[in-house]
Amino acid sequence: MKKIHIAIVGATGLVGQTFLKVLEEYDFQIASIKLFASPNSLGKSLQFKGQSYNIETVQPGCFRGIDYVLMSAGKKVSTDVAPQAVKEGAIVIDNSSAFRMHEEVPLVVPEVNLNDANQKRLIANPNCSTIQSVLPLKALQDAFGLESIDYHTYQAVSGSGIKGLNDLHRKESVPQFYPYDIQKTVIPHIDSFLSSGYTYEEQKMIDETKKILHDPQLRITATCVRVPVEFGHAVSMKVKLKQEASLETIQHTLKSFKSIIVVDDPSQLKYPVSTLAVGNDFVYVGRIRKDLHDPFSVLMFVVADNIRKGAASNAIQIMKGLMHHDDTH
Ligand SMILES: NC(=O)c1ccc[n+]([C@@H]2O[C@H](COP(=O)([O-])OP(=O)(O)OC[C@H]3O[C@@H](n4cnc5c(N)ncnc54)[C@H](OP(=O)(O)O)[C@@H]3O)[C@@H](O)[C@H]2O)c1
């Protein structure tokens, strides 16, 4: 693989710092790396492979000569900066929701739909809970077809970035970020409310799942809940299949899919807990069981590291996939 020039926008954030960690772990040949954050971080530096790099702010021309920009600084920054980076010649992989539903922008989870990214210069990374959900869903879709999905999430505070973690660990008695005390309660509210009664987070899961699985007709509902956990999102889902399948066939199908680890032995208390996923890029699936009233429906519990597979690692795996494609074509 050729040596690449990389830039990270939002480098000081939770996802940004994880980009650096994952880039160190994966075997990339990196010619240069530039780190960008807000003006508040000017004067700070971050370590990468034993070297110190100063934080810069985005300026006209700053992406010239860059091959890939990994962007994770929120929707507003992405809306402003991603077009500039593309214009200056880079391929952008964006973590925000700014472009995810744009028709011409692919929304990619490499194990599911890497081909959608071919020849594109702006690629969107899906919402964290959606990423971990579409791996088992794709396995089931290919084998049995999908009729409908009912999602219920249990999302860690790190999904809100550094502000979420700070609110869980705060010393003050009054919440500083969430509307209720995340030290004491779960909160059935993530992102803003829409007139439908759903939250934007729930609507993102619904819309993004259909786009990634190339099935606009899929019937999906979602309830997204914040829980007092630092890292690792969990999604409980009920999936109605188009064809009836035995539990054994379903388990085998899930076990055979890339990046999925099935942990499902309740007699030994083996099931996916979020701590199992923290610090790695696998998606853990367990509690697999048939619906008691509908032989076409299966339930399962899915966990993954929201900052890694749900954000930084997925984006880096997209980049790796694109580089591999360039090397082999
Ligand atoms: N956390 C997750 O699980 C997760 C998962 C998927 C996607 N995402 C998405 O990733 C993005 C960042 O999330 P996060 O959790 O890393 O948030 P975070 O910890 O709050 O970090 C935000 C980053 O954006 C930077 N930033 C703010 N304004 C900027 C500007 N004008 N120019 C350049 N950089 C700027 C911040 O720099 P300063 O330090 O200088 O303020 C910081 O590096 C969001 O779009 C989020 O929706 C997060």
Side-chain angles (χ1 to χ4, degrees), residues 9-16 36-41 58 72-75 77 95-96 100 126 128 158-162 233 306-307 310-311:
V9 180
T12 49
L14 275 184
V15 176
F36 296 95
S38 81
N40 298 337
S41 293
V58 172
S72 189
K75 191 173 177 179
V77 176
N95 258 280
S96 80
R100 287 178 190 155
C128 37
S158 55
S160 311
I162 286 166
H233 285 357
N306 55 301
I307 306 290

Side-chain angles (χ1 to χ4, degrees), residues 173-227:
S173 57
V174 182
Q176 307 288 301
F177 177 66
Y178 294 113
Y180 291 90
D181 188 348
I182 196 65
Q183 293 176 340
K184 299 199 173 78
T185 185
V186 300
I187 306 174
H189 165 199
I190 300 180
D191 214 323
S192 48
F193 276 99
L194 306 172
S195 57
S196 60
Y198 282 75
T199 61
Y200 186 42
E201 182 80 356
E202 291 158 354
Q203 196 60 50
K204 280 186 277 187
M205 282 194 84
I206 293 168
D207 295 339
E208 293 180 22
T209 301
K210 293 181 189 182
K211 180 167 176 173
I212 297 163
L213 295 176
H214 300 161
D215 186 354
Q217 306 307 326
L218 253 181
R219 286 185 288 125
I220 311 177
T221 57
T223 302
C224 292
V225 179
R226 187 73 67 197
V227 297

Side-chain angles (χ1 to χ4, degrees), residues 48-176:
F48 179 67
K49 291 192 172 175
Q51 273 195 49
S52 185
Y53 291 85
N54 291 333
I55 300 295
E56 305 173 43
T57 54
V58 172
Q59 304 293 337
C62 68
F63 300 112
R64 284 201 197 107
I66 299 288
D67 297 305
Y68 293 96
V69 178
L70 301 170
M71 203 165 280
S72 189
K75 191 173 177 179
K76 164 121 193 19
V77 176
S78 290
T79 306
D80 296 344
V81 174
Q84 176 195 335
V86 170
K87 214 165 158 192
E88 291 176 6
I91 292 177
V92 175
I93 303 171
D94 179 42
N95 258 280
S96 80
S97 59
F99 304 100
R100 287 178 190 155
M101 295 313 295
H102 287 208
E103 214 172 302
E104 70 285 7
V105 176
L107 184 62
V108 175
V109 176
E111 295 88 342
V112 177
N113 64 333
L114 183 63
N115 282 344
D116 290 358
N118 285 346
Q119 309 296 323
K120 300 285 184 178
R121 305 207 63 85
L122 172 57
I123 296 144
N125 209 41
N127 164 275
C128 37
S129 300
T130 309
I131 292 178
Q132 69 187 65
S133 301
V134 294
L135 272 80
L137 287 171
K138 173 68 174 164
L140 298 177
Q141 183 189 41
D142 287 349
F144 316 110
L146 299 178
E147 191 73 41
S148 64
I149 304 156
D150 186 4
Y151 284 133
H152 297 261
T153 72
Y154 307 75
Q155 297 182 223
V157 295
S158 55
S160 311
I162 286 166
K163 288 182 183 137
L165 279 173
N166 288 346
D167 217 24
L168 181 68
H169 295 305
R170 71 180 198 277
K171 299 271 188 292
E172 301 90 345
S173 57
V174 182
Q176 307 288 301

